[in-house]
Amino acid sequence: MNILLFGPVTAQLPLSLQNLVVENVAVGECASRPSASAAQLQGPGNPSNLNSNRPVCYFTPPNRTVCFRGIETKRFQAGGKFNLTRWLVLCDWPLKTFDPFILSRLVPRIERLALTGHLLQRLVHDFPALPYLRMVNITGTRLNHTAVSAFYELERLQVLNLRGNELEQIQPYRFRSGHVEVYLQGNLWNCTNDMIWLLKEQSRQYVDKPTLVCKDWKYTGRPVLTAMEYKRVVRESCLHEEIWNCSCHVSYLRLSDNGLSFHPMIMVNCSDRGFYQLPQYLPGNTTVLHIARNKLQTVDSLTTNEHYQSVQDIYLDENRITTIDILEDTIWLDNFRILSLRGNRLNRIRVYSVEHAIERNPGVGKLYLSNNPWRCGCRFAIRFQRFLRKHESLVADSRNITCYFINDDDGRKQYLPVLTVTPNDICRPSEHNTAAFYNTLSIIFATLIVLIFTKLAYDYYHYRKYGKLPWLIMKMP
């Protein structure tokens, strides 16, 4: 029975495969078909047609067979010249899977195999023992996984070319032969996976490993070996006694300004680890710290510990922090990106200090303040409300922030959304009147200052134009 193809007739190989250093017969053989071979295929003894979707194979003396859209198994089983095949090229493979066992059945003396086809995704089994097979060339497919033992039985294997597929991760292959050259360039390497073993591999078996490039969203365009080296360093740094029970990851590799090196951006996760204070050590270039659900009471280390200079995002949710006043007028507050303080014990903050820091900080991203016991003091609540309304897009959970006051009738706490609270809700009459008095006084003083500056400007203009001093000064003794 023939293996049929339901895809296009002409092979569609990726451009990146046109310049492979390793011999890749599939590229040359599958991109075009010799006219002589076409004539043979149209002969009276062969009803196959180049324009059909049926498998087509042709034999080229002394020992090469090229097949399109599958394998004409009947022709191989019938014997004849196809029994001489030592070099098999399979173009436009028609299925999502390829079973290497078909080779031992049809071409047991095969020495070289080339396989391509944009439908192929998986090898059904490991390669069987093919005692003469020394070169396997699988390129231009969607192959996304291979077992470590996939080529183990090929005792004479010399070259394994897996370039230009969709492999995302591999573990070191097992080979019977100690002299196999492996080529892997052009795959979709996902560098969030662990391939640190490539750094330890010293046999030079993986010939083109310095050219491998990450394709995942986090490390895209970065060399695989560079990403793995930073992952190794971070993994070792995370063994420090201060953070041995935390997890550390390279979240991004930023290209330096001169384009010659990379700077890692590291994320450390110490959530749910029982910390009573911020750890005194962090790996260099730590930019994100998760330390939620611990027992922290202060954030002093953000201002005093050099390990926190590069920390831009910090998640301090569900701790025991009562104040962040120590951050006032600090470099850290002027440069943070995300500060999450949900679920702590904050009842007041210096609103003006936080607001000034936000205005000075061009990279500020989000601030989270909900689920804290904010006190609805008359003056604080009104200032806090103005701050939240002004920076509602910045304080991501502003609509969920509530404050409380003690109800005079029953002495119970009553909670109100800060964004909708009014002076009548939280201010006693005396407090309300005092606040109104100070607000009126502030308006009067501001008006007087404007008038004074206006008068000074007028007098200056009058003096410059007419050379006369103001009337009041003329009357002074």
Side-chain angles (χ1 to χ4, degrees):
M1 180 178 293
N2 292 334
I3 300 176
L4 300 179
L5 170 69
F6 301 97
V9 174
T10 305
Q12 300 292 327
L13 294 179
L15 261 183
S16 59
L17 297 180
Q18 302 305 313
N19 297 312
L20 292 182
V21 176
V22 182
E23 182 182 11
N24 186 355
V25 294
V27 171
E29 295 289 346
C30 299
S32 60
R33 297 169 187 169
S35 57
S37 298
Q40 293 175 11
L41 290 168
Q42 298 294 336
N46 190 341
S48 301
N49 189 293
L50 283 174
N51 295 320
S52 73
N53 283 333
R54 298 181 61 80
V56 175
C57 295
Y58 65 85
F59 179 81
T60 303
N63 56 23
R64 182 177 61 177
T65 296
V66 180
C67 293
F68 292 88
R69 305 183 297 276
I71 300 177
E72 290 183 285
T73 55
K74 290 183 179 180
R75 304 190 73 181
F76 282 87
Q77 291 170 343
K81 57 187 178 182
F82 285 97
N83 276 0
L84 302 176
T85 299
R86 301 290 184 273
W87 185 353
L88 179 62
V89 183
L90 301 177
C91 306
D92 302 335
W93 186 252
L95 305 173
K96 292 183 179 181
T97 60
F98 175 75
D99 188 352
F101 273 88
I102 195 174
L103 301 176
S104 60
R105 184 161 52 89
L106 299 180
V107 284
R109 301 181 66 84
I110 185 174
E111 298 177 7
R112 304 169 72 176
L113 169 69
L115 171 63
T116 185
H118 69 280
L119 294 178
L120 178 62
Q121 299 180 22
R122 185 170 61 89
L123 300 177
V124 176
H125 299 105
D126 295 346
F127 274 75
L130 294 164
Y132 304 99
L133 185 57
R134 55 186 175 83
M135 179 180 290
V136 174
N137 188 334
I138 303 175
T139 56
T141 75
R142 296 175 61 191
L143 186 69
N144 54 42
H145 173 76
T146 51
V148 296
S149 59
F151 311 98
Y152 180 71
E153 297 295 335
L154 305 178
E155 58 185 28
R156 291 193 180 181
L157 186 64
Q158 298 175 5
V159 176
L160 174 60
N161 179 10
L162 296 174
R163 290 183 170 188
N165 297 297
E166 295 188 2
L167 295 172
E168 295 186 359
Q169 179 188 17
I170 60 168
Q171 294 298 322
Y173 291 118
R174 294 173 55 213
F175 297 112
R176 286 184 181 272
S177 170
H179 305 285
V180 181
E181 295 182 353
V182 183
Y183 296 86
L184 298 168
Q185 191 180 36
N187 282 278
L188 305 182
W189 301 114
N190 185 340
C191 292
T192 61
N193 294 320
D194 184 357
M195 292 189 289
I196 294 178
W197 64 268
L198 279 170
L199 301 173
K200 304 174 183 177
E201 195 275 318
Q202 301 294 332
S203 66
R204 302 183 184 275
Q205 192 170 56
Y206 296 82
V207 180
D208 59 353
K209 68 179 182 180
T211 67
L212 305 185
V213 177
C214 305
K215 297 293 185 180
D216 56 286
W217 67 270
K218 184 185 292 187
Y219 299 99
T220 184
R222 280 42 176 163
V224 170
L225 292 186
T226 299
M228 293 305 114
E229 176 62 22
Y230 279 118
K231 288 167 77 80
R232 182 191 66 80
V233 171
V234 169
R235 179 179 294 181
E236 293 178 357
S237 298
C238 212
L239 298 176
H240 191 278
E241 60 182 2
E242 281 281 332
I243 56 172
W244 64 269
N245 59 346
C246 302
S247 61
C248 307
H249 306 281
V250 179
S251 58
Y252 187 67
L253 287 178
R254 181 176 62 83
L255 188 64
S256 63
D257 294 336
N258 60 16
L260 300 178
S261 61
F262 295 96
H263 296 301
M265 301 175 70
I266 297 168
M267 182 186 72
V268 178
N269 190 341
C270 295
S271 295
D272 300 294
R273 300 295 195 274
F275 280 90
Y276 284 88
Q277 62 178 5
L278 288 170
Q280 297 304 297
Y281 168 84
L282 289 176
N285 296 304
T286 297
T287 56
V288 180
L289 174 62
H290 291 267
I291 192 163
R293 297 177 297 281
N294 284 284
K295 301 174 183 179
L296 309 180
Q297 297 183 21
T298 68
V299 292
D300 297 17
S301 293
L302 293 180
T303 65
T304 60
N305 191 323
E306 62 180 6
H307 291 289
Y308 288 85
Q309 290 180 357
S310 60
V311 175
Q312 295 179 304
D313 305 348
I314 187 165
Y315 297 84
L316 295 156
D317 305 331
E318 298 181 45
N319 279 283
R320 301 174 181 177
I321 299 168
T322 58
T323 178
I324 58 169
D325 289 350
I326 194 172
L327 298 180
E328 183 177 356
D329 295 327
T330 61
I331 295 176
W332 190 90
L333 198 60
D334 290 344
N335 293 281
F336 84 94
R337 187 171 57 191
I338 295 177
L339 174 58
S340 186
L341 290 160
R342 289 173 291 197
N344 279 280
R345 299 179 180 178
L346 298 169
N347 54 34
R348 291 196 179 191
I349 57 171
R350 294 175 181 172
V351 176
Y352 64 88
S353 175
V354 176
E355 186 159 26
H356 290 169
I358 289 174
E359 292 172 352
R360 293 192 301 265
N361 185 349
V364 64
K366 294 294 180 183
L367 185 63
Y368 298 89
L369 298 170
S370 64
N371 201 23
N372 278 282
W374 300 108
R375 186 75 181 268
C376 283
C378 183
R379 296 177 63 186
F380 168 74
I382 299 304
R383 289 177 179 174
F384 196 28
Q385 183 186 78
R386 289 173 183 166
F387 168 77
L388 295 180
R389 286 179 175 174
K390 182 178 180 180
H391 301 286
E392 191 169 356
S393 61
L394 172 65
V395 185
D397 55 352
S398 59
R399 295 181 180 275
N400 298 324
I401 297 175
T402 60
C403 64
Y404 78 91
F405 67 94
I406 305 298
N407 194 307
D408 291 335
D409 295 333
D410 54 16
R412 295 183 179 179
K413 290 182 179 179
Q414 185 171 341
Y415 290 86
L416 297 170
V418 174
L419 282 177
T420 60
V421 74
T422 66
N424 291 332
D425 294 328
I426 57 175
C427 297
R428 294 191 179 103
S430 58
E431 290 179 315
H432 189 45
N433 293 337
T434 302
F437 169 75
Y438 282 119
N439 286 339
T440 303
L441 197 60
S442 298
I443 294 172
I444 292 173
F445 278 126
T447 304
L448 289 174
I449 290 171
V450 172
L451 291 174
I452 290 170
F453 275 104
T454 303
K455 182 66 169 66
L456 285 174
Y458 173 77
D459 290 343
Y460 176 75
Y461 168 77
H462 195 269
Y463 174 75
R464 293 283 295 180
K465 185 171 184 178
Y466 300 106
K468 294 181 180 181
L469 294 172
W471 172 83
L472 182 60
I473 295 178
M474 295 292 292
K475 297 294 184 181
M476 293 177 65

